[in-house]
Amino acid sequence: MQAHDSAIRALVYSHSDDWLVSADHDGIIKYWQPNFNNVESIRGHTDPIRDLAFSPNDTKFVTASDDQTLKVFDFAGGSTDMTLTGHGWDAKSCDWHPSRGLIVSGSKDHLVKLWDPRTGRCLTTLHGHKNTITKTLFERVQGNCLATSARDQTARVFDLRMMRDIALLRGHEKDISTLTWHPVHSNLLSTGGSDGSLFHYLLDEPNTAPDGSVMPIPAVYDSADPSSAPAQPIYPAHKIPYAHDFAIWSLDWHPLGHILASGSNDRITRFWSRARPGEAPESFNDRYHIGEAAAEAQGTWDRRGGRHMRQVEEEQELEDEMDGLVDQKMPIKGQPGVGGGGLMPGLSFPSIPGLPLQQVPSSGPGSSGFIPPPPVIPGVGGAAGVPPPLPFPIPGMPGLPAGVVPPPLPGMDLKNPPDFSALAEMMKKAGYQPPPPGSAGAPIPPPGILPPGLIPPPGAAGFPMPPPGFAPPPLIPGAGGPPGGATHPDGGNDQYDSSGRRRAPLPSQEESLRMEQSKGNYTRVR
């Protein structure tokens, strides 16, 4: 379905699951029903919209755009309630608190801001990241924490009660592009990297670095002075380094929390779940955890089988696309007859669409590759030298209905019919041998001589020329028209070559001068 004219940058369902709102690269916002019926389209921003979020009661929603602003819209009216300004660069992410009147935004200026949606005032600005903010998301279970990710290869967890960061999530070797909270367990946070890696963090169980070089730092809540204690670094509890081939752009959990969906720039959406009992050792040795080369060496993945599966999927996708382009009104393939295009029994060529062919019997000559004779053309051929009857009567021949006047031939004047005896006399004077008396057909006139009764072509003496702008019809070679050319009233010359074809008229210098003078050129006399 072609939903937008440009790339869709943000997509979110309402909390009631009754509406879907989408925003694209042109700043257009569209409302959709669950059956994907588009009911509203509004102009939200002039620049691309990067993120949007609904309010807890679904009456309003907020958008973040590359024009450095956030806008709060009234959902029912489709109008802008207020514009939040304060960022110094593109606004990349936004979210609405699940239970409080609080909006968070992240920008390309490395800042995270909290806003009051009632007054549009910026409440506070959170510092800590050193690059573009890629995602800001409130925790949904208790609502006390805020998670942010950035292109500095780190993610941070802020406590809204203290308005400071309490955890620093490390472990990614590339930029962190997105993150998501678990819908049931508020201590589980999942992140997706620009290199296709997928990490899971347990905030209440900090882990040391893989090499053990970093000593664990106590939690902020356990320190003597929580306001000045450094953020606790946390490393992933589980890694999937090869989850995707390219950057992971979106992550979301099932509402029950048993399946995680990931969308990547490799045009693949994958669904992840916990391993079944007894499958943990084997599942951690697949190509998503250790890579394709190592998994193939251990025998847990077959490269050829993977390629075959991808080829089958591509062929199936192409077949589905071709089936979608087939006109539904076309007959079934292989059906003989009109438009069927199928093969006739005993023949090795398809039938012509629109022309039904007669069936060849399966026994007799048809069984040995016998090709039926071509259809009989009226007036041509026939058995024993007798041509078959024509489907229409010929004037002057038996079979013409009484009282029917045959239509006149093109170019013949009925008031002055041609005299074939005079035509034969003219041919004798011109040195041509006329046909013998009683021969079938009319004699052929010599070049340059028109038979009596035929209308002369345009350009002949006493025949008016067509009006300007209308090209005269082609002349008959040697019949009418001056051999050297004819002069038009506008001064142009129509030249005719030896074959009788008219050449294009040559432009007049006076006319060209008048056209240039109308443009303002050549007006001063030298």
Side-chain angles (χ1 to χ4, degrees):
M1 181 182 66
Q2 184 68 31
H4 286 261
D5 296 333
S6 59
I8 298 176
R9 299 299 184 186
L11 196 71
V12 63
Y13 271 99
S14 62
H15 295 89
S16 61
D17 295 332
D18 293 335
W19 295 98
L20 174 68
V21 176
S22 59
D24 63 10
H25 193 81
D26 293 336
I28 303 297
I29 302 173
K30 292 188 177 183
Y31 296 178
W32 305 86
Q33 291 177 332
N35 59 353
F36 291 102
N37 179 31
N38 180 218
V39 297
E40 187 66 33
S41 179
I42 59 177
R43 164 67 69 173
H45 296 264
T46 56
D47 289 342
I49 298 176
R50 298 297 179 178
D51 200 3
L52 57 88
F54 267 99
S55 63
N57 56 3
D58 293 338
T59 59
K60 300 180 184 299
F61 63 92
V62 60
T63 60
S65 172
D66 282 354
D67 58 5
Q68 308 178 13
T69 65
L70 288 86
K71 289 186 178 181
V72 179
F73 290 86
D74 178 65
F75 179 77
S79 58
T80 304
D81 282 355
M82 65 182 65
T83 302
L84 310 180
T85 59
H87 280 292
W89 216 339
D90 304 351
K92 294 296 184 182
S93 179
C94 65
D95 193 22
W96 204 307
H97 196 277
S99 58
R100 299 186 179 95
L102 195 62
I103 293 177
V104 63
S105 63
S107 172
K108 200 174 180 179
D109 58 4
H110 313 170
L111 301 179
V112 177
K113 291 181 177 291
L114 295 173
W115 309 82
D116 185 357
R118 293 177 291 269
T119 62
R121 184 172 62 92
C122 179
L123 301 177
T124 186
T125 300
L126 304 177
H127 302 267
H129 287 289
K130 301 178 181 179
N131 210 322
T132 302
I133 309 298
T134 58
K135 189 67 176 180
T136 57
L137 195 63
F138 287 111
E139 191 265 321
R140 302 293 175 181
V141 179
Q142 299 179 358
N144 295 327
C145 293
L146 166 68
T148 62
S149 62
R151 292 181 179 175
D152 55 5
Q153 305 178 13
T154 64
R156 292 177 180 268
V157 178
F158 294 85
D159 192 328
L160 300 178
R161 296 166 294 184
M162 294 188 294
M163 287 297 176
R164 57 149 300 173
D165 54 342
I166 60 174
L168 177 61
L169 309 184
R170 297 182 178 273
H172 278 276
E173 299 179 358
K174 297 292 183 180
D175 302 342
I176 300 178
S177 53
T178 186
L179 54 82
T180 183
W181 290 94
H182 195 275
V184 179
H185 305 286
S186 59
N187 63 334
L188 178 58
L189 186 66
S190 302
T191 60
S194 60
D195 56 353
S197 58
L198 178 60
F199 291 176
H200 299 285
Y201 294 87
L202 292 176
L203 303 182
D204 55 354
E205 296 181 4
N207 299 278
T208 58
D211 55 358
S213 58
V214 180
M215 296 300 294
I217 299 177
V220 175
Y221 306 115
D222 298 336
S223 61
D225 187 8
S227 60
S228 60
Q232 182 185 25
I234 299 178
Y235 289 87
H238 185 73
K239 296 181 180 181
I240 309 178
Y242 307 97
H244 286 273
D245 297 334
F246 295 97
I248 298 177
W249 292 118
S250 58
L251 287 173
D252 199 10
W253 283 94
H254 188 278
L256 299 180
H258 64 295
I259 295 178
L260 173 65
S262 62
S264 170
N265 199 29
D266 57 6
R267 300 181 297 176
I268 294 178
T269 301
R270 289 195 168 100
F271 299 90
W272 310 88
S273 64
R274 297 184 61 179
R276 297 183 180 91
E279 292 183 354
E282 291 81 6
S283 61
F284 292 164
N285 291 329
D286 57 7
R287 67 186 183 99
Y288 304 112
H289 288 80
I290 61 178
E292 294 183 356
E296 187 177 11
Q298 294 187 8
T300 56
W301 184 69
D302 185 7
R303 185 183 300 271
R304 294 174 298 179
R307 290 177 179 176
H308 177 69
M309 288 300 298
R310 285 196 295 267
Q311 182 179 2
V312 171
E313 292 174 357
E314 292 176 358
E315 293 178 354
Q316 183 66 31
E317 181 180 357
L318 181 60
E319 183 179 354
D320 294 342
E321 182 179 358
M322 295 302 296
D323 291 342
L325 297 177
V326 173
D327 188 2
Q328 300 297 328
K329 296 182 179 179
M330 292 181 61
I332 304 175
K333 296 180 179 180
Q335 177 182 358
V338 179
L343 293 177
M344 306 304 296
L347 300 181
S348 59
F349 56 89
S351 62
I352 302 176
L355 295 179
L357 296 180
Q358 57 183 356
Q359 296 286 345
V360 179
S362 58
S363 61
S367 60
S368 59
F370 171 74
I371 300 178
V376 178
I377 301 176
V380 179
V386 179
L390 294 174
F392 54 88
I394 299 179
M397 293 185 65
L400 184 64
V404 177
V405 180
L409 297 178
M412 179 177 292
D413 190 2
L414 297 179
K415 297 181 180 179
N416 186 20
D419 188 2
F420 293 104
S421 60
L423 180 59
E425 189 69 21
M426 293 171 60
M427 294 182 64
K428 287 182 180 181
K429 293 181 180 180
Y432 290 88
Q433 183 68 25
S439 59
I444 301 176
I449 301 178
L450 288 178
L454 294 182
I455 300 175
F463 193 85
M465 294 298 297
F470 292 86
L475 296 178
I476 301 176
T487 304
H488 283 274
D490 58 357
N493 294 327
D494 284 344
Q495 300 295 335
Y496 296 88
D497 55 11
S498 59
S499 61
R501 292 179 296 180
R502 184 176 64 87
R503 298 178 182 176
L506 298 177
S508 175
Q509 293 184 357
E510 296 180 0
E511 183 181 356
S512 301
L513 179 60
R514 287 196 299 268
M515 293 179 61
E516 292 294 332
Q517 289 179 349
S518 63
K519 299 178 182 178
N521 302 327
Y522 306 109
T523 57
R524 184 169 57 88
V525 179
R526 296 183 180 178

